[in-house]
Amino acid sequence: MPHLVILYTPNIEREVDMTSLCRALADTMLTIHDEDGKQVFPAGGTRVLAYPAAHYAVADGKADYAFVYLNLRMAGGRSDAVKTRAGDALLATTKTHFAAIFEARHLGVTLQIDESPGQVYDAKHSNLHPLFKN
């Protein structure tokens, strides 16, 4: 963890590079530091995944409205200030990425951060983390 999952209406795919958005958001996550200057999200555990909705309905359906939902799941223990800083940074990156679309069409964006206070089961198997240890 952390995992940022993006669900979006596919009617924006011709207008935006979602892979580029994923990279920009991952890079943003890696810039977040806590009050002690420690990187909040480990490079080896940072994942950003985007999925187009196979079926969707947005607003009243009278136009070709678009929607993007971003959900960041992170482990517990971070301060409210860190969570707010992460949310503000991710939203700023998202708004910048979609700036041209906001000028051309109607688009809604929601970003939510969920904290996992205590998992019942949390197993991991990865050889990515050792790549980023100093």
Side-chain angles (χ1 to χ4, degrees):
M1 211 168 302
H3 304 145
L4 177 59
V5 176
I6 307 166
L7 301 173
Y8 64 94
T9 55
N11 59 346
I12 61 172
E13 286 185 326
R14 291 181 308 276
E15 303 160 70
V16 67
D17 180 349
M18 293 303 289
T19 298
S20 172
L21 174 62
C22 291
R23 182 72 264 157
L25 290 167
D27 290 344
T28 297
M29 291 169 68
L30 297 176
T31 68
I32 307 299
H33 291 82
D34 65 15
E35 294 83 356
D36 297 324
K38 182 180 174 197
Q39 186 174 333
V40 172
F41 303 117
T46 298
R47 282 102 166 105
V48 180
L49 309 167
Y51 302 94
H55 311 281
Y56 65 93
V58 180
D60 62 7
K62 294 182 180 177
D64 191 28
Y65 306 122
F67 183 72
V68 178
Y69 173 71
L70 302 97
N71 179 242
L72 175 62
R73 298 259 318 150
M74 67 170 72
R78 295 175 177 96
S79 71
D80 288 343
V82 165
K83 291 180 263 189
T84 298
R85 193 162 42 253
D88 289 347
L90 290 169
L91 185 58
T93 298
T94 302
K95 288 168 58 177
T96 297
H97 193 82
F98 287 120
I101 294 177
F102 275 110
E103 293 291 324
R105 62 160 47 239
H106 292 93
L107 168 67
V109 173
T110 296
L111 168 66
Q112 292 182 324
I113 298 177
D114 296 329
E115 184 177 49
S116 231
Q119 293 92 359
V120 175
Y121 180 79
D122 182 26
K124 294 174 180 64
H125 177 76
S126 171
N127 61 2
L128 288 171
H129 285 279
L131 293 174
F132 301 97
K133 296 225 188 244
N134 292 341

PDB file of all heavy atoms in Angstrom, residues 104-120:
ATOM      1  N   ALA A 104     -13.399  22.364 -22.203  1.00  0.00           N
ATOM      2  CA  ALA A 104     -14.143  21.907 -23.380  1.00  0.00           C
ATOM      3  C   ALA A 104     -15.457  21.192 -23.077  1.00  0.00           C
ATOM      4  O   ALA A 104     -16.342  21.151 -23.924  1.00  0.00           O
ATOM      5  CB  ALA A 104     -13.245  20.975 -24.208  1.00  0.00           C
ATOM      6  N   ARG A 105     -15.598  20.626 -21.899  1.00  0.00           N
ATOM      7  CA  ARG A 105     -16.790  19.823 -21.607  1.00  0.00           C
ATOM      8  C   ARG A 105     -17.064  19.814 -20.118  1.00  0.00           C
ATOM      9  O   ARG A 105     -16.296  20.325 -19.328  1.00  0.00           O
ATOM     10  CB  ARG A 105     -16.625  18.395 -22.111  1.00  0.00           C
ATOM     11  CG  ARG A 105     -15.461  17.688 -21.422  1.00  0.00           C
ATOM     12  CD  ARG A 105     -15.432  16.173 -21.447  1.00  0.00           C
ATOM     13  NE  ARG A 105     -15.680  15.511 -22.669  1.00  0.00           N
ATOM     14  CZ  ARG A 105     -16.687  14.621 -22.831  1.00  0.00           C
ATOM     15  NH1 ARG A 105     -17.499  14.341 -21.840  1.00  0.00           N
ATOM     16  NH2 ARG A 105     -16.864  14.001 -23.970  1.00  0.00           N
ATOM     17  N   HIS A 106     -18.166  19.179 -19.730  1.00  0.00           N
ATOM     18  CA  HIS A 106     -18.508  19.057 -18.309  1.00  0.00           C
ATOM     19  C   HIS A 106     -17.906  17.773 -17.753  1.00  0.00           C
ATOM     20  O   HIS A 106     -18.088  16.689 -18.306  1.00  0.00           O
ATOM     21  CB  HIS A 106     -20.029  19.056 -18.130  1.00  0.00           C
ATOM     22  CG  HIS A 106     -20.625  20.373 -18.464  1.00  0.00           C
ATOM     23  ND1 HIS A 106     -21.101  20.673 -19.716  1.00  0.00           N
ATOM     24  CD2 HIS A 106     -20.793  21.489 -17.719  1.00  0.00           C
ATOM     25  CE1 HIS A 106     -21.550  21.903 -19.724  1.00  0.00           C
ATOM     26  NE2 HIS A 106     -21.367  22.426 -18.523  1.00  0.00           N
ATOM     27  N   LEU A 107     -17.181  17.943 -16.648  1.00  0.00           N
ATOM     28  CA  LEU A 107     -16.462  16.840 -16.030  1.00  0.00           C
ATOM     29  C   LEU A 107     -16.539  16.989 -14.519  1.00  0.00           C
ATOM     30  O   LEU A 107     -16.315  18.079 -13.989  1.00  0.00           O
ATOM     31  CB  LEU A 107     -14.984  16.863 -16.474  1.00  0.00           C
ATOM     32  CG  LEU A 107     -13.995  15.977 -15.733  1.00  0.00           C
ATOM     33  CD1 LEU A 107     -14.289  14.503 -15.976  1.00  0.00           C
ATOM     34  CD2 LEU A 107     -12.564  16.307 -16.157  1.00  0.00           C
ATOM     35  N   GLY A 108     -16.847  15.910 -13.843  1.00  0.00           N
ATOM     36  CA  GLY A 108     -16.815  15.897 -12.385  1.00  0.00           C
ATOM     37  C   GLY A 108     -15.651  15.048 -11.924  1.00  0.00           C
ATOM     38  O   GLY A 108     -15.359  14.004 -12.504  1.00  0.00           O
ATOM     39  N   VAL A 109     -14.965  15.510 -10.879  1.00  0.00           N
ATOM     40  CA  VAL A 109     -13.844  14.774 -10.299  1.00  0.00           C
ATOM     41  C   VAL A 109     -14.074  14.656  -8.795  1.00  0.00           C
ATOM     42  O   VAL A 109     -14.395  15.652  -8.144  1.00  0.00           O
ATOM     43  CB  VAL A 109     -12.497  15.488 -10.559  1.00  0.00           C
ATOM     44  CG1 VAL A 109     -11.365  14.803  -9.796  1.00  0.00           C
ATOM     45  CG2 VAL A 109     -12.185  15.535 -12.049  1.00  0.00           C
ATOM     46  N   THR A 110     -13.941  13.464  -8.273  1.00  0.00           N
ATOM     47  CA  THR A 110     -14.004  13.226  -6.836  1.00  0.00           C
ATOM     48  C   THR A 110     -12.743  12.489  -6.422  1.00  0.00           C
ATOM     49  O   THR A 110     -12.349  11.521  -7.069  1.00  0.00           O
ATOM     50  CB  THR A 110     -15.237  12.375  -6.467  1.00  0.00           C
ATOM     51  OG1 THR A 110     -16.427  13.097  -6.792  1.00  0.00           O
ATOM     52  CG2 THR A 110     -15.248  12.024  -4.986  1.00  0.00           C
ATOM     53  N   LEU A 111     -12.119  12.967  -5.344  1.00  0.00           N
ATOM     54  CA  LEU A 111     -10.966  12.299  -4.763  1.00  0.00           C
ATOM     55  C   LEU A 111     -11.292  11.983  -3.314  1.00  0.00           C
ATOM     56  O   LEU A 111     -11.681  12.873  -2.558  1.00  0.00           O
ATOM     57  CB  LEU A 111      -9.725  13.198  -4.826  1.00  0.00           C
ATOM     58  CG  LEU A 111      -8.515  12.744  -4.006  1.00  0.00           C
ATOM     59  CD1 LEU A 111      -7.925  11.448  -4.554  1.00  0.00           C
ATOM     60  CD2 LEU A 111      -7.456  13.826  -3.966  1.00  0.00           C
ATOM     61  N   GLN A 112     -11.170  10.722  -2.943  1.00  0.00           N
ATOM     62  CA  GLN A 112     -11.381  10.309  -1.562  1.00  0.00           C
ATOM     63  C   GLN A 112     -10.158   9.553  -1.070  1.00  0.00           C
ATOM     64  O   GLN A 112      -9.539   8.803  -1.820  1.00  0.00           O
ATOM     65  CB  GLN A 112     -12.609   9.412  -1.427  1.00  0.00           C
ATOM     66  CG  GLN A 112     -13.907  10.144  -1.686  1.00  0.00           C
ATOM     67  CD  GLN A 112     -15.116   9.243  -1.491  1.00  0.00           C
ATOM     68  OE1 GLN A 112     -15.078   8.056  -1.794  1.00  0.00           O
ATOM     69  NE2 GLN A 112     -16.184   9.823  -0.994  1.00  0.00           N
ATOM     70  N   ILE A 113      -9.838   9.772   0.200  1.00  0.00           N
ATOM     71  CA  ILE A 113      -8.746   9.046   0.835  1.00  0.00           C
ATOM     72  C   ILE A 113      -9.340   8.193   1.941  1.00  0.00           C
ATOM     73  O   ILE A 113     -10.052   8.700   2.808  1.00  0.00           O
ATOM     74  CB  ILE A 113      -7.689  10.006   1.405  1.00  0.00           C
ATOM     75  CG1 ILE A 113      -7.055  10.825   0.276  1.00  0.00           C
ATOM     76  CG2 ILE A 113      -6.627   9.222   2.182  1.00  0.00           C
ATOM     77  CD1 ILE A 113      -6.050  11.854   0.741  1.00  0.00           C
ATOM     78  N   ASP A 114      -9.071   6.907   1.879  1.00  0.00           N
ATOM     79  CA  ASP A 114      -9.520   5.966   2.904  1.00  0.00           C
ATOM     80  C   ASP A 114      -8.305   5.469   3.663  1.00  0.00           C
ATOM     81  O   ASP A 114      -7.280   5.126   3.067  1.00  0.00           O
ATOM     82  CB  ASP A 114     -10.236   4.764   2.279  1.00  0.00           C
ATOM     83  CG  ASP A 114     -11.522   5.155   1.568  1.00  0.00           C
ATOM     84  OD1 ASP A 114     -12.160   6.131   1.995  1.00  0.00           O
ATOM     85  OD2 ASP A 114     -11.864   4.486   0.587  1.00  0.00           O
ATOM     86  N   GLU A 115      -8.452   5.429   4.973  1.00  0.00           N
ATOM     87  CA  GLU A 115      -7.382   4.943   5.827  1.00  0.00           C
ATOM     88  C   GLU A 115      -7.784   3.594   6.377  1.00  0.00           C
ATOM     89  O   GLU A 115      -8.900   3.396   6.817  1.00  0.00           O
ATOM     90  CB  GLU A 115      -7.155   5.941   6.961  1.00  0.00           C
ATOM     91  CG  GLU A 115      -6.007   5.601   7.851  1.00  0.00           C
ATOM     92  CD  GLU A 115      -5.811   6.668   8.904  1.00  0.00           C
ATOM     93  OE1 GLU A 115      -6.802   7.046   9.550  1.00  0.00           O
ATOM     94  OE2 GLU A 115      -4.675   7.108   9.081  1.00  0.00           O
ATOM     95  N   SER A 116      -6.860   2.675   6.353  1.00  0.00           N
ATOM     96  CA  SER A 116      -7.083   1.333   6.855  1.00  0.00           C
ATOM     97  C   SER A 116      -6.631   1.284   8.309  1.00  0.00           C
ATOM     98  O   SER A 116      -5.451   1.117   8.572  1.00  0.00           O
ATOM     99  CB  SER A 116      -6.243   0.377   6.028  1.00  0.00           C
ATOM    100  OG  SER A 116      -6.978  -0.668   5.545  1.00  0.00           O
ATOM    101  N   PRO A 117      -7.538   1.449   9.257  1.00  0.00           N
ATOM    102  CA  PRO A 117      -7.115   1.516  10.652  1.00  0.00           C
ATOM    103  C   PRO A 117      -6.609   0.191  11.200  1.00  0.00           C
ATOM    104  O   PRO A 117      -5.705   0.166  12.011  1.00  0.00           O
ATOM    105  CB  PRO A 117      -8.364   1.962  11.398  1.00  0.00           C
ATOM    106  CG  PRO A 117      -9.489   1.562  10.525  1.00  0.00           C
ATOM    107  CD  PRO A 117      -8.965   1.577   9.110  1.00  0.00           C
ATOM    108  N   GLY A 118      -7.167  -0.888  10.766  1.00  0.00           N
ATOM    109  CA  GLY A 118      -6.718  -2.190  11.261  1.00  0.00           C
ATOM    110  C   GLY A 118      -7.223  -3.273  10.348  1.00  0.00           C
ATOM    111  O   GLY A 118      -8.395  -3.596  10.359  1.00  0.00           O
ATOM    112  N   GLN A 119      -6.346  -3.801   9.540  1.00  0.00           N
ATOM    113  CA  GLN A 119      -6.762  -4.848   8.624  1.00  0.00           C
ATOM    114  C   GLN A 119      -6.992  -6.140   9.377  1.00  0.00           C
ATOM    115  O   GLN A 119      -6.329  -6.413  10.368  1.00  0.00           O
ATOM    116  CB  GLN A 119      -5.689  -5.091   7.553  1.00  0.00           C
ATOM    117  CG  GLN A 119      -5.502  -3.958   6.603  1.00  0.00           C
ATOM    118  CD  GLN A 119      -4.421  -2.994   7.073  1.00  0.00           C
ATOM    119  OE1 GLN A 119      -3.824  -3.150   8.122  1.00  0.00           O
ATOM    120  NE2 GLN A 119      -4.191  -1.968   6.285  1.00  0.00           N
ATOM    121  N   VAL A 120      -7.922  -6.906   8.899  1.00  0.00           N
ATOM    122  CA  VAL A 120      -8.151  -8.237   9.428  1.00  0.00           C
ATOM    123  C   VAL A 120      -7.105  -9.182   8.850  1.00  0.00           C
ATOM    124  O   VAL A 120      -6.572 -10.037   9.535  1.00  0.00           O
ATOM    125  CB  VAL A 120      -9.576  -8.731   9.079  1.00  0.00           C
ATOM    126  CG1 VAL A 120      -9.775 -10.163   9.516  1.00  0.00           C
ATOM    127  CG2 VAL A 120     -10.608  -7.829   9.716  1.00  0.00           C
TER     128      VAL A 120
END
